[in-house]
Amino acid sequence: FYSLLLFTMSALINQSGTLLATRAATRAPRSRVSICAPSRGQHDDACSTSSSSDEVPHFSRRMLAVGLVGASLVVASPSKAVGFKKELKKKRLGAEDYIENEAVGLKIHENDVGKGSEEVAPGDRVVVHYDCLYRGIDVVSSRAARLLGGNRTVAEPYEYVVGEPVTGIPLKKISEGANGLFAGSSGPKPPQALSRAVLGMKKGGKRSVLVDQADLGYPKGVGEMPAGETFELVVEVLEIFKKA
């Protein structure tokens, strides 16, 4: 893209320089205009002369190049365009972005450390949102935990005790009395990696966990994800209730 842009700019500069040279060569010479102001005691041929010319502003190649470069920067920087939102697509994490975490037992990447001084410890009760991403597909998510009438879904944060096995049934379920809109009583089944994935996190924190152990993921597969495949578990801590 940039090579094409530089080639186009160079062609425009050469073309503009040729055009300026042609216009300078064909420009008409200055014309002299006679202005006669006859008065008493003077001959009719007593006239004053003045010269006039159409001044053509001179633009050097350097000025033209600076203008073209400035215009190209505006075009090449969409973030400066009016109405453009600086909400670029999130960069996909690679294996090199994760670091080993002994407490979790898996490799993690901190997306947001969160706020406050309290950190999640074994035995704490937490409320989280989680997403299991496989090749860019969100195969299991608490953000689409319930099916409503008309094929609509509703988010349901997952609550559990850290360090204990997780199931598809949260400790605290949302009301089932919404005029019979809910279909089914159980939410999505979280991976066992979620049990310890939040250790050391703070409220509001977001973390990506690389689940590469089949027994901590989905040994039988789920949705579009085959059995035992490696995937990214994204966890967001909403609430922390410290162990009494």
Side-chain angles (χ1 to χ4, degrees), residues 2 18 20 22 32 44-45 52 54 57 80 118-119 127 164 175 181 218:
Y2 290 105
T18 304
L20 289 175
T22 304
R32 300 181 65 84
D44 292 342
D45 58 351
S52 64
D54 294 331
K80 301 298 184 180
E118 289 187 340
E119 294 185 353
V127 181
E164 295 185 2
S175 174
L181 291 178
Y218 295 96

Side-chain angles (χ1 to χ4, degrees), residues 44-211:
D44 292 342
D45 58 351
C47 301
S48 61
T49 60
S50 63
S51 61
S52 64
S53 63
D54 294 331
E55 295 294 336
V56 178
H58 176 68
F59 298 95
S60 66
R61 289 192 179 188
R62 179 177 298 178
M63 294 173 62
L64 182 60
V66 170
L68 289 175
V69 170
S72 66
L73 290 177
V74 173
V75 174
S77 301
S79 60
K80 301 298 184 180
V82 176
F84 185 86
K85 295 182 179 180
K86 293 184 178 180
E87 296 180 357
L88 301 180
K89 186 177 180 180
K90 178 185 174 181
K91 178 185 175 182
R92 192 171 181 177
L93 296 176
E96 67 280 358
D97 296 316
Y98 295 88
I99 58 174
E100 194 71 40
N101 185 289
E102 294 183 1
V104 176
L106 295 168
K107 293 181 179 180
I108 69 170
H109 176 81
E110 300 291 1
N111 302 321
D112 190 336
V113 296
K115 299 179 180 179
S117 59
E118 289 187 340
E119 294 185 353
V120 177
D124 290 345
R125 187 161 50 91
V126 295
V127 181
V128 304
H129 264 315
Y130 67 90
D131 296 89
C132 298
L133 306 178
Y134 174 70
R135 295 186 177 180
I137 303 174
D138 199 344
V139 293
V140 180
S141 175
S142 62
R143 302 178 191 277
R146 296 278 175 162
L147 179 63
L148 299 179
N151 293 327
R152 292 175 298 166
T153 57
V154 62
E156 182 180 7
Y158 186 71
E159 184 175 342
Y160 67 103
V161 177
V162 178
E164 295 185 2
V166 294
T167 65
I169 303 176
L171 295 179
K172 183 178 180 181
K173 297 192 293 183
I174 59 176
S175 174
E176 297 287 346
N179 297 323
L181 291 178
F182 291 111
S185 59
S186 62
K189 182 181 179 181
Q192 290 303 312
L194 183 63
S195 176
R196 302 179 63 84
V198 296
L199 286 173
M201 293 183 67
K202 299 178 180 180
K203 183 177 179 179
K206 298 179 182 179
R207 173 183 289 177
S208 292
V209 181
L210 185 64
V211 183

